[in-house]
Amino acid sequence: MKSFINVEDIGDLRQALAEAQEIKNDRFKYQHLGKNKTLMMIFFNNSLRTRLSTQKAAMNLGMNVIVLDVNAGAWKLETERGVIMDGDKSEHLLEAIPVMGCYCDLIGVRSFAGLSDREYDYAETVLNQFIKYSGRPVFAMETATVHPLQAFADLITIEEYKKTARPKVVLTWAPHCRALPQAVPNSFAQWMNAADVDFVVTHPEGYELDPKFVGNARVEYNQRKAFEGADFIYAKNWSNPGVTNLADYGKITSKDMAWTVDAEHMSWTNDGKFMHCLPVRRNLIVTDEVIESPNSIVIPEAANREISCSVVIKRMLESL
């Protein structure tokens, strides 16, 4: 596996899930693969779970790890071609990337959407430069449009907690005080479409995700109707994707608190489990009562980030 961005990159999901369980049973089984190999993790944005889980996964596999926080101690990087670099950016990404590639065997990149230029964000401009110029296998640690390590961990978690062969999984929008990217809901939708689940997306009108991620999911604007009979509720805010109105891209066009997941919302489900990628704004996205309930599985979900990343890094090491 030379890159990991979308669900197609992982191949057969049944096989990937079986491999995840194998690694969960013995996290150090494949240490020999990473001996004398180095992972470079490059962060253009903040991280907690991604940084810790990815570094732990690489160490489990016997790798050395270099972590570069671009905003703390590195030269400020220019990402655009054709600019006159007479401002505060001292180095261009096109020189920095191949230099980084000299010092490692695998590269993980975390670079969020700017939420001002939809075309630039959805072209995955920064990530694709790493793929093109680093000379190394590259995986996404959340990019402008996707977060596949999270979605893979979500699928592992659903597989572990499901009570029926084909559970009903609902992705619900919830309000937030800041404009957030669509990467998590995009990837979650993409992976649920590929899995054997009954998948529903619910959100206010105008918040439609990009069709290439929504796929064949059923879109339901009535949140209560969407929740009825659900086995899993995945709450997540996203800013306006600009699908129906490009001028709204990256903006907050709704703060409707009626969409906050509370105990009443969960009562509409089939004793549903509550999921969220974290970090979560309590009493905006979800109430204290729900996230602290026995049906909240946000911590096991976060723990599975180590497992999803272990599978991805293992496969990349096998391809070297």
Side-chain angles (χ1 to χ4, degrees):
M1 186 162 62
K2 297 298 184 182
S3 63
F4 178 70
I5 305 167
N6 298 307
V7 67
E8 294 85 3
D9 298 324
I10 204 69
D12 181 78
L13 284 183
R14 290 284 109 197
Q15 184 178 343
L17 287 167
E19 201 166 329
Q21 187 57 56
E22 178 191 23
I23 286 174
K24 199 163 190 177
N25 292 338
D26 183 356
R27 296 168 198 240
F28 307 103
K29 182 176 180 179
Y30 295 100
Q31 276 192 331
H32 61 282
L33 291 175
K35 185 178 180 181
N36 298 327
K37 299 290 194 305
T38 299
L39 167 65
M40 182 173 288
M41 300 163 59
I42 301 161
F43 291 89
F44 290 85
N45 299 93
N46 294 338
S47 175
L48 189 151
R49 275 148 297 278
T50 297
R51 176 167 178 167
L52 297 179
S53 62
T54 306
Q55 189 164 355
K56 181 66 165 64
M59 291 166 66
N60 290 351
L61 291 162
M63 299 192 77
N64 302 310
V65 181
I66 298 172
V67 179
L68 176 64
D69 184 343
V70 172
N71 298 310
W75 299 113
K76 288 189 177 181
L77 296 174
E78 178 59 65
T79 61
E80 300 279 359
R81 285 180 176 274
V83 299
I84 298 173
M85 291 176 59
D86 58 356
D88 65 342
K89 296 177 180 178
S90 304
E91 185 164 10
H92 203 287
L93 205 58
L94 294 182
E95 284 79 62
I97 289 172
V99 168
M100 294 175 194
C102 293
Y103 306 141
C104 64
D105 301 281
L106 305 180
I107 295 178
V109 179
R110 185 172 177 91
S111 178
F112 292 175
L115 296 180
S116 59
D117 184 337
R118 190 181 194 279
E119 183 179 357
Y120 181 89
D121 288 343
Y122 273 70
E124 290 290 4
T125 307
V126 173
L127 177 69
N128 283 325
Q129 288 184 78
F130 276 92
I131 292 171
K132 185 173 182 179
Y133 298 112
S134 70
R136 301 290 182 235
V138 175
F139 62 92
M141 300 192 301
E142 187 170 354
T143 68
T145 66
V146 292
H147 197 353
L149 290 173
Q150 179 65 54
F152 186 14
D154 297 334
L155 179 59
I156 294 168
T157 308
I158 289 170
E159 187 71 14
E160 290 175 337
Y161 281 88
K162 71 181 184 182
K163 296 178 181 178
T164 60
R166 193 170 187 270
K168 181 178 179 181
V169 180
V170 177
L171 168 63
T172 181
W173 179 92
H176 203 281
C177 55
R178 294 179 55 215
L180 299 183
Q182 300 96 43
V184 169
N186 281 346
S187 276
F188 187 75
Q190 186 184 52
W191 283 68
M192 290 304 107
N193 274 313
D196 187 18
V197 301
D198 176 14
F199 182 50
V200 180
V201 181
T202 185
H203 53 72
E205 291 193 38
Y207 269 81
E208 291 78 9
L209 296 168
D210 192 296
K212 72 179 180 181
F213 296 110
V214 175
N216 296 321
R218 177 160 55 92
V219 177
E220 174 56 67
Y221 297 105
N222 184 315
Q223 193 184 27
R224 178 166 188 159
K225 187 175 179 181
F227 274 46
E228 289 176 354
D231 300 292
F232 295 91
I233 298 297
Y234 196 103
K236 184 70 180 77
N237 172 265
W238 59 89
S239 61
N240 197 302
V243 172
T244 57
N245 184 355
L246 183 58
D248 287 335
Y249 175 64
K251 296 180 180 177
I252 298 173
T253 52
S254 175
K255 290 185 178 180
D256 188 352
M257 293 290 288
W259 285 78
T260 300
V261 179
D262 59 16
E264 181 183 357
H265 285 71
M266 295 303 292
S267 74
W268 304 335
T269 71
N270 180 30
D271 194 32
K273 301 294 186 184
F274 177 80
M275 302 179 69
H276 189 278
C277 62
L278 302 181
V280 65
R281 299 268 185 155
R282 285 181 175 224
N283 303 305
L284 270 177
I285 299 290
V286 58
T287 61
D288 293 334
E289 183 180 14
V290 170
I291 199 168
E292 293 175 9
S293 75
N295 278 19
S296 172
I297 54 174
V298 297
I299 303 304
E301 179 185 0
N304 277 330
R305 289 293 307 278
E306 177 187 342
I307 306 305
S308 65
C309 194
S310 295
V311 174
V312 169
I313 294 176
K314 170 184 173 289
R315 292 189 175 191
M316 287 192 155
L317 287 170
E318 289 172 334
S319 72
L320 292 178

